[in-house]
Amino acid sequence: MSQLTANFNLAFPSFHLQANINVRAEGVIAIFGNSGCGKTTFLRCLAGLERSITGSMTLDTYTWQDESQGIFVPLSQRPIGYVFQEPRLFPHINVHANLQYGWKRTDKSVRHIALEQVVQVLDIEQLLERRPSSLSGGEQQRVAIGRALLTSPKLLLMDEPLSSLDLQRKREILPFIKKLDSEFHIPIVYVSHDLNEIVELAKTMVLLKEGKVAVSGQIEEVFSQLNLRHLIPENHLGALVDTAVAEQDQEFGLTKLTFSGGHLHVPHQERTIGERLRVQILAKDVSIISSPPSFQTSVLNLLEATVVEIGEVHTGHPFVDIKLDIGCPLLATITRKSLAALKLHPGQIVYAQIKAVALSSETYQ
Amino acid sequence: MIFDLDLGPLWLTLQLAGATVIVLLLVGTPIAWWLAFTSSRLRTIVEAIVALPIVLPPTVLGFYLLIALGPHGFLGSPWKDLTGSTLSFTFTGLVIASTFYSLPFVVQPLHGAFESVGKKPLEAAWALGASRLDTFLTVASPMALRGYLTAIVLGFAHTLGEFGVVLMVGGNIPGQTKVLSIAIYDHVEVLEYAQAHTLSLGLLIFSFVVLLAVYTANRRLPLHAT
């Protein structure tokens, strides 16, 4: 499996980027962080639009930058596709010519993505003869994605491609981005400050804070880590669980999902049996009880769990995060008072009550 | 009165303006490009130098150009070594002088046009595999088309109307340096008002028609705001 490694050290008057990554170059690699943390700069470094004096960047066997050996390949010679925050279509030529711009400049032996395929996947057939200025924002961004794909890149960089769009347009494009991975097998580095998008798309996640990589790894592993509070907003803290649709309960309007640790019941999802679904169980939606409830509970999802780790306790902060194992990792946020009352310790068997399951894709459906 | 009118100055003027515009586009494009995209501190200094001909009296500019183009000047002397002839009081000398004189009228519109194209489309083109020159030719130039049109017209028109610099550098040699504005002056000096009238009116109408054509074309050209 090919790796993407990069190491940049770049000082600006108000900001210092000092970031290393070494991740599997597969699927969507999300770069997340607050605005001003250096996400875009990092992406521009990967592209070679910013040059870090002591940087290096390799993908698989390609070395595009290694300043210690004096190697720096300019962007125009790197097989990299770049989708900017704004579509940046060329206004003086029509959509078709925009799509062909990079394709024409790509060596015949390298081309493995055809215009027809891109046009079909991105559904832009009816736009081909039009001028970019007559397209909606969503349409323009789809063309921009197509234009980048048609250079048959080895790596696709996307800088918040959805951020300038309203929710409806996001919904329109997100499925296309999801498809890119399966259709074209190009690793994508995807910069975003929207965790819903990231949970929906990413296989790998890199968390940036103040120009440095705080955490990186497989997205499920990242989200199951404790002590992310300073990196991720509270309403997004929680483990990701990969599930498959097991059963549709028509009578009660529920969908039963199965995962490595058992089942979850969620409100009815318009999905086919067997379809894979990544869900997030927010830490604030999980409560812990020390023994199975002797009374009936209205909470449908009640799972046996083992306490794995107790998060950092900050005096003055009422909450503490607990990492549980339910066949896969699960995070729960409880009060310090409850922690004391339940006398939680690693290895202890408890029950996790899951009040809600967030289906990330819901936001966009 | 039409019959004894010498059209030589008119032809010479058009040649001079045409040649000057061509030289200015070649010289002005890289200057304007540099001004639009550099972060160098020299930028403001270069900007000021380029704008000088707008404020300087043409006689001042002409005076220095006369010295520079003369047989001992920094342009004239190497030219003389190279070709054996002097630059001052020649057509070539006039083209060089006009290039300086009209420089801001070509550089400024191009500078503005490149700035409004901005870096973003260029980066997009690089990412699509276009080299710098390719990007300039296929993205930046077509997007700056309006700027080019304005630069050509202003450069041409400004050269048409020059008087002071020509008089200083070129003198008044028929077929060589006697351009329209000087011919008109000559006619007026010897009280040939009819001939002066014809040439002046001709220039007036010509200028108006050209400007009209350009503004019409400019309006029809799509505006490539980014």
Side-chain angles (χ1 to χ4, degrees), chain A residues 44 49 75-76 78 80-82 84 86 88 90-92 98 101-102 105-106 131 147-148 151, chain B residues 119-131 134-135 138-139 142-143 222 224-226:
Chain A
R44 290 176 65 84
L49 285 171
L75 175 57
S76 59
R78 297 185 187 191
I80 284 182
Y82 202 133
F84 297 89
E86 338 75 36
R88 299 196 188 182
F90 303 134
H92 58 291
N98 264 282
Y101 191 90
R105 287 164 176 78
T106 304
R131 287 270 170 166
R147 186 174 70 166
T151 61
Chain B
K119 223 161 175 186
K120 292 180 171 182
L122 311 184
E123 290 178 349
W126 301 338
L128 294 167
S131 68
D134 188 358
T135 301
T138 57
V139 176
M143 283 180 75
H224 297 314
T226 44

mmCIF file of all heavy atoms in Angstrom, chain A residues 44 49 75-76 78 80-82 84 86 88 90-92 98 101-102 105-106 131 147-148 151, chain B residues 119-131 134-135 138-139 142-143 222 224-226:
data_model
loop_
_atom_site.group_PDB
_atom_site.id
_atom_site.type_symbol
_atom_site.label_atom_id
_atom_site.label_comp_id
_atom_site.label_asym_id
_atom_site.label_seq_id
_atom_site.Cartn_x
_atom_site.Cartn_y
_atom_site.Cartn_z
ATOM 1 N N ARG A 44 -1.308 23.685 0.211
ATOM 2 C CA ARG A 44 -0.512 24.394 -0.802
ATOM 3 C C ARG A 44 0.943 23.920 -0.796
ATOM 4 O O ARG A 44 1.597 23.895 -1.824
ATOM 5 C CB ARG A 44 -0.590 25.911 -0.569
ATOM 6 C CG ARG A 44 -1.975 26.493 -0.887
ATOM 7 C CD ARG A 44 -2.052 27.971 -0.545
ATOM 8 N NE ARG A 44 -1.156 28.768 -1.371
ATOM 9 C CZ ARG A 44 -1.440 29.212 -2.591
ATOM 10 N NH1 ARG A 44 -2.595 28.930 -3.133
ATOM 11 N NH2 ARG A 44 -0.581 29.937 -3.262
ATOM 12 N N LEU A 49 2.789 24.888 -4.112
ATOM 13 C CA LEU A 49 2.473 26.306 -4.318
ATOM 14 C C LEU A 49 3.137 27.177 -3.256
ATOM 15 O O LEU A 49 3.333 28.366 -3.445
ATOM 16 C CB LEU A 49 0.961 26.539 -4.306
ATOM 17 C CG LEU A 49 0.222 26.094 -5.574
ATOM 18 C CD1 LEU A 49 -1.285 26.162 -5.367
ATOM 19 C CD2 LEU A 49 0.631 26.922 -6.769
ATOM 20 N N LEU A 75 4.528 22.537 -9.516
ATOM 21 C CA LEU A 75 3.175 21.970 -9.583
ATOM 22 C C LEU A 75 2.809 21.507 -10.992
ATOM 23 O O LEU A 75 2.201 20.452 -11.162
ATOM 24 C CB LEU A 75 2.163 23.006 -9.082
ATOM 25 C CG LEU A 75 0.689 22.628 -9.184
ATOM 26 C CD1 LEU A 75 0.392 21.333 -8.458
ATOM 27 C CD2 LEU A 75 -0.186 23.741 -8.629
ATOM 28 N N SER A 76 3.208 22.297 -12.008
ATOM 29 C CA SER A 76 2.796 21.941 -13.359
ATOM 30 C C SER A 76 3.370 20.597 -13.804
ATOM 31 O O SER A 76 2.873 19.987 -14.741
ATOM 32 C CB SER A 76 3.205 23.035 -14.347
ATOM 33 O OG SER A 76 4.594 23.223 -14.307
ATOM 34 N N ARG A 78 3.850 18.052 -11.502
ATOM 35 C CA ARG A 78 3.446 17.004 -10.566
ATOM 36 C C ARG A 78 2.086 16.455 -11.018
ATOM 37 O O ARG A 78 1.198 17.236 -11.341
ATOM 38 C CB ARG A 78 3.266 17.574 -9.145
ATOM 39 C CG ARG A 78 4.522 18.138 -8.553
ATOM 40 C CD ARG A 78 4.279 18.569 -7.098
ATOM 41 N NE ARG A 78 5.458 19.260 -6.580
ATOM 42 C CZ ARG A 78 5.641 19.568 -5.297
ATOM 43 N NH1 ARG A 78 4.705 19.270 -4.405
ATOM 44 N NH2 ARG A 78 6.729 20.177 -4.909
ATOM 45 N N ILE A 80 -0.674 16.021 -9.906
ATOM 46 C CA ILE A 80 -1.559 16.342 -8.791
ATOM 47 C C ILE A 80 -2.755 17.113 -9.316
ATOM 48 O O ILE A 80 -2.600 18.011 -10.137
ATOM 49 C CB ILE A 80 -0.802 17.191 -7.740
ATOM 50 C CG1 ILE A 80 0.149 16.309 -6.929
ATOM 51 C CG2 ILE A 80 -1.773 17.917 -6.814
ATOM 52 C CD1 ILE A 80 0.904 17.052 -5.853
ATOM 53 N N GLY A 81 -3.932 16.733 -8.883
ATOM 54 C CA GLY A 81 -5.126 17.512 -9.201
ATOM 55 C C GLY A 81 -5.444 18.395 -8.012
ATOM 56 O O GLY A 81 -5.281 17.974 -6.868
ATOM 57 N N TYR A 82 -5.848 19.638 -8.276
ATOM 58 C CA TYR A 82 -6.120 20.556 -7.167
ATOM 59 C C TYR A 82 -7.509 21.164 -7.368
ATOM 60 O O TYR A 82 -7.753 21.806 -8.377
ATOM 61 C CB TYR A 82 -5.050 21.661 -7.156
ATOM 62 C CG TYR A 82 -4.852 22.368 -5.826
ATOM 63 C CD1 TYR A 82 -3.581 22.583 -5.311
ATOM 64 C CD2 TYR A 82 -5.945 22.829 -5.096
ATOM 65 C CE1 TYR A 82 -3.388 23.234 -4.093
ATOM 66 C CE2 TYR A 82 -5.758 23.467 -3.888
ATOM 67 C CZ TYR A 82 -4.480 23.675 -3.386
ATOM 68 O OH TYR A 82 -4.295 24.316 -2.187
ATOM 69 N N PHE A 84 -9.788 23.889 -5.793
ATOM 70 C CA PHE A 84 -9.670 24.995 -4.852
ATOM 71 C C PHE A 84 -11.013 25.266 -4.177
ATOM 72 O O PHE A 84 -12.043 24.719 -4.549
ATOM 73 C CB PHE A 84 -9.196 26.249 -5.587
ATOM 74 C CG PHE A 84 -7.830 26.110 -6.199
ATOM 75 C CD1 PHE A 84 -7.685 25.620 -7.490
ATOM 76 C CD2 PHE A 84 -6.690 26.450 -5.494
ATOM 77 C CE1 PHE A 84 -6.436 25.478 -8.060
ATOM 78 C CE2 PHE A 84 -5.429 26.311 -6.052
ATOM 79 C CZ PHE A 84 -5.302 25.828 -7.341
ATOM 80 N N GLU A 86 -12.707 27.972 -4.347
ATOM 81 C CA GLU A 86 -13.581 28.498 -5.383
ATOM 82 C C GLU A 86 -13.293 27.682 -6.640
ATOM 83 O O GLU A 86 -12.199 27.181 -6.802
ATOM 84 C CB GLU A 86 -13.299 29.976 -5.675
ATOM 85 C CG GLU A 86 -12.597 30.757 -4.586
ATOM 86 C CD GLU A 86 -11.116 30.425 -4.501
ATOM 87 O OE1 GLU A 86 -10.503 30.183 -5.548
ATOM 88 O OE2 GLU A 86 -10.582 30.407 -3.371
ATOM 89 N N ARG A 88 -12.624 28.353 -9.716
ATOM 90 C CA ARG A 88 -11.530 28.839 -10.561
ATOM 91 C C ARG A 88 -11.594 28.315 -11.990
ATOM 92 O O ARG A 88 -10.569 27.957 -12.582
ATOM 93 C CB ARG A 88 -10.157 28.489 -9.970
ATOM 94 C CG ARG A 88 -9.915 29.110 -8.609
ATOM 95 C CD ARG A 88 -8.447 29.071 -8.249
ATOM 96 N NE ARG A 88 -8.237 29.504 -6.866
ATOM 97 C CZ ARG A 88 -7.054 29.602 -6.289
ATOM 98 N NH1 ARG A 88 -5.959 29.309 -6.967
ATOM 99 N NH2 ARG A 88 -6.932 30.007 -5.050
ATOM 100 N N PHE A 90 -11.883 28.674 -15.983
ATOM 101 C CA PHE A 90 -11.415 29.733 -16.868
ATOM 102 C C PHE A 90 -12.624 30.364 -17.550
ATOM 103 O O PHE A 90 -13.359 29.683 -18.261
ATOM 104 C CB PHE A 90 -10.423 29.180 -17.890
ATOM 105 C CG PHE A 90 -9.240 28.513 -17.245
ATOM 106 C CD1 PHE A 90 -8.783 27.290 -17.686
ATOM 107 C CD2 PHE A 90 -8.589 29.119 -16.169
ATOM 108 C CE1 PHE A 90 -7.693 26.664 -17.085
ATOM 109 C CE2 PHE A 90 -7.502 28.510 -15.565
ATOM 110 C CZ PHE A 90 -7.060 27.279 -16.021
ATOM 111 N N PRO A 91 -12.820 31.668 -17.331
ATOM 112 C CA PRO A 91 -14.075 32.283 -17.780
ATOM 113 C C PRO A 91 -14.167 32.475 -19.293
ATOM 114 O O PRO A 91 -15.250 32.648 -19.818
ATOM 115 C CB PRO A 91 -14.071 33.648 -17.076
ATOM 116 C CG PRO A 91 -12.632 33.932 -16.807
ATOM 117 C CD PRO A 91 -11.957 32.601 -16.603
ATOM 118 N N HIS A 92 -13.017 32.454 -19.978
ATOM 119 C CA HIS A 92 -13.052 32.776 -21.404
ATOM 120 C C HIS A 92 -13.303 31.574 -22.291
ATOM 121 O O HIS A 92 -13.374 31.717 -23.504
ATOM 122 C CB HIS A 92 -11.736 33.469 -21.800
ATOM 123 C CG HIS A 92 -10.521 32.643 -21.522
ATOM 124 N ND1 HIS A 92 -10.085 32.365 -20.243
ATOM 125 C CD2 HIS A 92 -9.656 32.019 -22.343
ATOM 126 C CE1 HIS A 92 -8.988 31.620 -20.304
ATOM 127 N NE2 HIS A 92 -8.718 31.391 -21.564
ATOM 128 N N ASN A 98 -12.782 23.865 -20.660
ATOM 129 C CA ASN A 98 -12.220 23.830 -19.311
ATOM 130 C C ASN A 98 -11.836 22.403 -18.925
ATOM 131 O O ASN A 98 -10.759 22.154 -18.394
ATOM 132 C CB ASN A 98 -13.230 24.375 -18.299
ATOM 133 C CG ASN A 98 -12.995 25.838 -17.984
ATOM 134 O OD1 ASN A 98 -12.098 26.184 -17.218
ATOM 135 N ND2 ASN A 98 -13.781 26.704 -18.600
ATOM 136 N N TYR A 101 -8.758 21.255 -20.721
ATOM 137 C CA TYR A 101 -7.528 22.029 -20.550
ATOM 138 C C TYR A 101 -6.394 21.160 -19.987
ATOM 139 O O TYR A 101 -5.295 21.121 -20.523
ATOM 140 C CB TYR A 101 -7.778 23.233 -19.642
ATOM 141 C CG TYR A 101 -6.624 24.217 -19.622
ATOM 142 C CD1 TYR A 101 -6.578 25.270 -20.524
ATOM 143 C CD2 TYR A 101 -5.581 24.079 -18.713
ATOM 144 C CE1 TYR A 101 -5.518 26.168 -20.515
ATOM 145 C CE2 TYR A 101 -4.521 24.969 -18.706
ATOM 146 C CZ TYR A 101 -4.500 26.004 -19.607
ATOM 147 O OH TYR A 101 -3.441 26.884 -19.603
ATOM 148 N N GLY A 102 -6.685 20.479 -18.890
ATOM 149 C CA GLY A 102 -5.652 19.647 -18.286
ATOM 150 C C GLY A 102 -5.465 18.331 -19.035
ATOM 151 O O GLY A 102 -4.349 17.816 -19.129
ATOM 152 N N ARG A 105 -3.062 18.487 -21.714
ATOM 153 C CA ARG A 105 -1.693 18.652 -21.250
ATOM 154 C C ARG A 105 -1.182 17.442 -20.484
ATOM 155 O O ARG A 105 -0.147 17.502 -19.833
ATOM 156 C CB ARG A 105 -1.610 19.919 -20.377
ATOM 157 C CG ARG A 105 -1.702 21.188 -21.214
ATOM 158 C CD ARG A 105 -2.003 22.414 -20.390
ATOM 159 N NE ARG A 105 -1.989 23.613 -21.205
ATOM 160 C CZ ARG A 105 -2.970 23.996 -22.025
ATOM 161 N NH1 ARG A 105 -4.058 23.259 -22.118
ATOM 162 N NH2 ARG A 105 -2.875 25.098 -22.741
ATOM 163 N N THR A 106 -1.962 16.369 -20.516
ATOM 164 C CA THR A 106 -1.558 15.145 -19.829
ATOM 165 C C THR A 106 -1.060 14.152 -20.869
ATOM 166 O O THR A 106 -1.700 13.961 -21.901
ATOM 167 C CB THR A 106 -2.759 14.536 -19.074
ATOM 168 O OG1 THR A 106 -3.279 15.536 -18.198
ATOM 169 C CG2 THR A 106 -2.354 13.327 -18.279
ATOM 170 N N ARG A 131 -20.930 28.569 -20.795
ATOM 171 C CA ARG A 131 -19.831 29.347 -20.213
ATOM 172 C C ARG A 131 -19.866 29.175 -18.695
ATOM 173 O O ARG A 131 -20.948 29.121 -18.107
ATOM 174 C CB ARG A 131 -20.012 30.834 -20.541
ATOM 175 C CG ARG A 131 -19.713 31.163 -21.981
ATOM 176 C CD ARG A 131 -18.249 31.505 -22.115
ATOM 177 N NE ARG A 131 -17.879 31.600 -23.520
ATOM 178 C CZ ARG A 131 -16.753 32.135 -23.959
ATOM 179 N NH1 ARG A 131 -15.894 32.633 -23.102
ATOM 180 N NH2 ARG A 131 -16.468 32.171 -25.226
ATOM 181 N N ARG A 147 -12.459 18.666 -14.089
ATOM 182 C CA ARG A 147 -11.291 19.189 -14.780
ATOM 183 C C ARG A 147 -10.004 18.650 -14.138
ATOM 184 O O ARG A 147 -9.065 18.257 -14.821
ATOM 185 C CB ARG A 147 -11.333 20.725 -14.690
ATOM 186 C CG ARG A 147 -10.277 21.434 -15.463
ATOM 187 C CD ARG A 147 -10.490 22.929 -15.416
ATOM 188 N NE ARG A 147 -10.232 23.483 -14.094
ATOM 189 C CZ ARG A 147 -10.077 24.787 -13.841
ATOM 190 N NH1 ARG A 147 -10.178 25.658 -14.827
ATOM 191 N NH2 ARG A 147 -9.848 25.218 -12.625
ATOM 192 N N ALA A 148 -10.003 18.612 -12.803
ATOM 193 C CA ALA A 148 -8.826 18.100 -12.094
ATOM 194 C C ALA A 148 -8.664 16.595 -12.340
ATOM 195 O O ALA A 148 -7.560 16.105 -12.556
ATOM 196 C CB ALA A 148 -8.943 18.382 -10.603
ATOM 197 N N THR A 151 -6.837 15.094 -15.538
ATOM 198 C CA THR A 151 -5.382 15.023 -15.702
ATOM 199 C C THR A 151 -4.880 13.667 -15.195
ATOM 200 O O THR A 151 -3.676 13.464 -15.099
ATOM 201 C CB THR A 151 -4.678 16.144 -14.916
ATOM 202 O OG1 THR A 151 -4.974 15.980 -13.517
ATOM 203 C CG2 THR A 151 -5.144 17.521 -15.355
ATOM 204 N N LYS B 119 -3.775 35.773 -9.206
ATOM 205 C CA LYS B 119 -2.956 34.569 -9.185
ATOM 206 C C LYS B 119 -3.782 33.290 -9.281
ATOM 207 O O LYS B 119 -3.291 32.247 -9.703
ATOM 208 C CB LYS B 119 -2.151 34.550 -7.879
ATOM 209 C CG LYS B 119 -0.752 34.132 -8.198
ATOM 210 C CD LYS B 119 0.285 34.433 -7.233
ATOM 211 C CE LYS B 119 1.538 33.773 -7.786
ATOM 212 N NZ LYS B 119 2.645 33.807 -6.964
ATOM 213 N N LYS B 120 -5.045 33.404 -8.886
ATOM 214 C CA LYS B 120 -5.839 32.180 -8.755
ATOM 215 C C LYS B 120 -5.979 31.368 -10.048
ATOM 216 O O LYS B 120 -5.734 30.162 -10.033
ATOM 217 C CB LYS B 120 -7.208 32.525 -8.169
ATOM 218 C CG LYS B 120 -7.094 32.982 -6.737
ATOM 219 C CD LYS B 120 -8.436 33.327 -6.137
ATOM 220 C CE LYS B 120 -8.270 33.561 -4.647
ATOM 221 N NZ LYS B 120 -9.564 33.847 -4.013
ATOM 222 N N PRO B 121 -6.369 32.005 -11.154
ATOM 223 C CA PRO B 121 -6.478 31.192 -12.379
ATOM 224 C C PRO B 121 -5.126 30.640 -12.819
ATOM 225 O O PRO B 121 -5.063 29.567 -13.414
ATOM 226 C CB PRO B 121 -7.015 32.171 -13.429
ATOM 227 C CG PRO B 121 -7.484 33.351 -12.686
ATOM 228 C CD PRO B 121 -6.760 33.398 -11.384
ATOM 229 N N LEU B 122 -4.058 31.365 -12.499
ATOM 230 C CA LEU B 122 -2.733 30.892 -12.886
ATOM 231 C C LEU B 122 -2.395 29.610 -12.137
ATOM 232 O O LEU B 122 -1.918 28.634 -12.714
ATOM 233 C CB LEU B 122 -1.671 31.968 -12.601
ATOM 234 C CG LEU B 122 -1.981 33.386 -13.097
ATOM 235 C CD1 LEU B 122 -0.793 34.307 -12.819
ATOM 236 C CD2 LEU B 122 -2.303 33.390 -14.579
ATOM 237 N N GLU B 123 -2.667 29.625 -10.830
ATOM 238 C CA GLU B 123 -2.412 28.420 -10.035
ATOM 239 C C GLU B 123 -3.240 27.251 -10.544
ATOM 240 O O GLU B 123 -2.770 26.113 -10.613
ATOM 241 C CB GLU B 123 -2.751 28.675 -8.563
ATOM 242 C CG GLU B 123 -1.781 29.617 -7.879
ATOM 243 C CD GLU B 123 -2.158 29.904 -6.426
ATOM 244 O OE1 GLU B 123 -3.284 29.549 -6.003
ATOM 245 O OE2 GLU B 123 -1.325 30.480 -5.719
ATOM 246 N N ALA B 124 -4.491 27.559 -10.915
ATOM 247 C CA ALA B 124 -5.356 26.500 -11.442
ATOM 248 C C ALA B 124 -4.746 25.914 -12.707
ATOM 249 O O ALA B 124 -4.746 24.694 -12.903
ATOM 250 C CB ALA B 124 -6.753 27.052 -11.714
ATOM 251 N N ALA B 125 -4.209 26.769 -13.557
ATOM 252 C CA ALA B 125 -3.618 26.295 -14.810
ATOM 253 C C ALA B 125 -2.359 25.461 -14.547
ATOM 254 O O ALA B 125 -2.156 24.422 -15.165
ATOM 255 C CB ALA B 125 -3.289 27.475 -15.718
ATOM 256 N N TRP B 126 -1.550 25.910 -13.604
ATOM 257 C CA TRP B 126 -0.349 25.123 -13.261
ATOM 258 C C TRP B 126 -0.760 23.741 -12.790
ATOM 259 O O TRP B 126 -0.155 22.737 -13.153
ATOM 260 C CB TRP B 126 0.473 25.809 -12.163
ATOM 261 C CG TRP B 126 0.945 27.186 -12.499
ATOM 262 C CD1 TRP B 126 1.085 27.710 -13.770
ATOM 263 C CD2 TRP B 126 1.319 28.221 -11.593
ATOM 264 N NE1 TRP B 126 1.508 29.003 -13.680
ATOM 265 C CE2 TRP B 126 1.677 29.350 -12.368
ATOM 266 C CE3 TRP B 126 1.397 28.303 -10.206
ATOM 267 C CZ2 TRP B 126 2.093 30.552 -11.797
ATOM 268 C CZ3 TRP B 126 1.823 29.501 -9.634
ATOM 269 C CH2 TRP B 126 2.163 30.613 -10.419
ATOM 270 N N ALA B 127 -1.785 23.704 -11.936
ATOM 271 C CA ALA B 127 -2.233 22.420 -11.404
ATOM 272 C C ALA B 127 -2.733 21.510 -12.525
ATOM 273 O O ALA B 127 -2.770 20.298 -12.369
ATOM 274 C CB ALA B 127 -3.322 22.629 -10.356
ATOM 275 N N LEU B 128 -3.138 22.111 -13.638
ATOM 276 C CA LEU B 128 -3.619 21.309 -14.764
ATOM 277 C C LEU B 128 -2.482 20.986 -15.731
ATOM 278 O O LEU B 128 -2.719 20.495 -16.829
ATOM 279 C CB LEU B 128 -4.752 22.042 -15.482
ATOM 280 C CG LEU B 128 -6.024 22.213 -14.639
ATOM 281 C CD1 LEU B 128 -6.973 23.195 -15.280
ATOM 282 C CD2 LEU B 128 -6.710 20.874 -14.429
ATOM 283 N N GLY B 129 -1.272 21.298 -15.325
ATOM 284 C CA GLY B 129 -0.112 20.879 -16.113
ATOM 285 C C GLY B 129 0.414 21.912 -17.084
ATOM 286 O O GLY B 129 1.265 21.604 -17.911
ATOM 287 N N ALA B 130 -0.086 23.148 -17.000
ATOM 288 C CA ALA B 130 0.389 24.170 -17.922
ATOM 289 C C ALA B 130 1.648 24.835 -17.376
ATOM 290 O O ALA B 130 1.706 25.186 -16.197
ATOM 291 C CB ALA B 130 -0.700 25.224 -18.139
ATOM 292 N N SER B 131 2.634 25.017 -18.243
ATOM 293 C CA SER B 131 3.853 25.717 -17.831
ATOM 294 C C SER B 131 3.537 27.204 -17.654
ATOM 295 O O SER B 131 2.449 27.655 -17.983
ATOM 296 C CB SER B 131 4.934 25.543 -18.890
ATOM 297 O OG SER B 131 4.550 26.244 -20.061
ATOM 298 N N ASP B 134 2.843 28.800 -21.065
ATOM 299 C CA ASP B 134 1.566 28.259 -21.525
ATOM 300 C C ASP B 134 0.418 28.955 -20.782
ATOM 301 O O ASP B 134 -0.574 29.385 -21.386
ATOM 302 C CB ASP B 134 1.583 26.745 -21.227
ATOM 303 C CG ASP B 134 0.402 26.014 -21.832
ATOM 304 O OD1 ASP B 134 -0.446 26.671 -22.455
ATOM 305 O OD2 ASP B 134 0.338 24.777 -21.679
ATOM 306 N N THR B 135 0.572 29.089 -19.469
ATOM 307 C CA THR B 135 -0.457 29.735 -18.657
ATOM 308 C C THR B 135 -0.646 31.188 -19.091
ATOM 309 O O THR B 135 -1.774 31.673 -19.217
ATOM 310 C CB THR B 135 -0.062 29.697 -17.170
ATOM 311 O OG1 THR B 135 0.101 28.346 -16.792
ATOM 312 C CG2 THR B 135 -1.126 30.349 -16.308
ATOM 313 N N THR B 138 -2.421 31.068 -22.619
ATOM 314 C CA THR B 138 -3.755 30.482 -22.768
ATOM 315 C C THR B 138 -4.744 30.917 -21.694
ATOM 316 O O THR B 138 -5.936 30.716 -21.846
ATOM 317 C CB THR B 138 -3.678 28.941 -22.761
ATOM 318 O OG1 THR B 138 -3.055 28.518 -21.543
ATOM 319 C CG2 THR B 138 -2.904 28.419 -23.947
ATOM 320 N N VAL B 139 -4.238 31.464 -20.605
ATOM 321 C CA VAL B 139 -5.158 31.877 -19.532
ATOM 322 C C VAL B 139 -5.053 33.383 -19.261
ATOM 323 O O VAL B 139 -6.032 34.119 -19.400
ATOM 324 C CB VAL B 139 -4.904 31.077 -18.231
ATOM 325 C CG1 VAL B 139 -5.786 31.594 -17.109
ATOM 326 C CG2 VAL B 139 -5.182 29.596 -18.468
ATOM 327 N N PRO B 142 -5.737 35.870 -22.626
ATOM 328 C CA PRO B 142 -7.143 36.002 -23.027
ATOM 329 C C PRO B 142 -8.001 36.653 -21.941
ATOM 330 O O PRO B 142 -8.930 37.399 -22.242
ATOM 331 C CB PRO B 142 -7.599 34.568 -23.310
ATOM 332 C CG PRO B 142 -6.463 33.680 -23.061
ATOM 333 C CD PRO B 142 -5.261 34.482 -22.742
ATOM 334 N N MET B 143 -7.665 36.391 -20.686
ATOM 335 C CA MET B 143 -8.461 37.006 -19.621
ATOM 336 C C MET B 143 -8.176 38.501 -19.517
ATOM 337 O O MET B 143 -8.992 39.259 -19.013
ATOM 338 C CB MET B 143 -8.187 36.311 -18.281
ATOM 339 C CG MET B 143 -8.891 34.968 -18.152
ATOM 340 S SD MET B 143 -8.549 34.165 -16.584
ATOM 341 C CE MET B 143 -9.556 35.129 -15.465
ATOM 342 N N PRO B 222 -16.688 40.026 -23.396
ATOM 343 C CA PRO B 222 -17.107 39.637 -22.056
ATOM 344 C C PRO B 222 -16.107 40.139 -21.026
ATOM 345 O O PRO B 222 -14.905 40.155 -21.260
ATOM 346 C CB PRO B 222 -17.103 38.113 -22.124
ATOM 347 C CG PRO B 222 -16.212 37.780 -23.266
ATOM 348 C CD PRO B 222 -16.298 38.915 -24.234
ATOM 349 N N HIS B 224 -14.110 39.580 -17.867
ATOM 350 C CA HIS B 224 -13.707 38.392 -17.124
ATOM 351 C C HIS B 224 -13.337 38.751 -15.699
ATOM 352 O O HIS B 224 -12.175 38.745 -15.328
ATOM 353 C CB HIS B 224 -12.526 37.718 -17.809
ATOM 354 C CG HIS B 224 -12.876 37.242 -19.174
ATOM 355 N ND1 HIS B 224 -14.021 36.559 -19.429
ATOM 356 C CD2 HIS B 224 -12.227 37.359 -20.345
ATOM 357 C CE1 HIS B 224 -14.063 36.269 -20.718
ATOM 358 N NE2 HIS B 224 -12.996 36.750 -21.284
ATOM 359 N N ALA B 225 -14.308 39.082 -14.954
ATOM 360 C CA ALA B 225 -14.018 39.356 -13.541
ATOM 361 C C ALA B 225 -13.721 38.038 -12.848
ATOM 362 O O ALA B 225 -14.297 37.019 -13.173
ATOM 363 C CB ALA B 225 -15.217 40.023 -12.898
ATOM 364 N N THR B 226 -12.812 38.076 -11.914
ATOM 365 C CA THR B 226 -12.514 36.833 -11.183
ATOM 366 C C THR B 226 -12.872 37.000 -9.732
ATOM 367 O O THR B 226 -12.811 38.085 -9.201
ATOM 368 C CB THR B 226 -11.014 36.461 -11.272
ATOM 369 O OG1 THR B 226 -10.249 37.625 -11.058
ATOM 370 C CG2 THR B 226 -10.702 35.869 -12.602
#
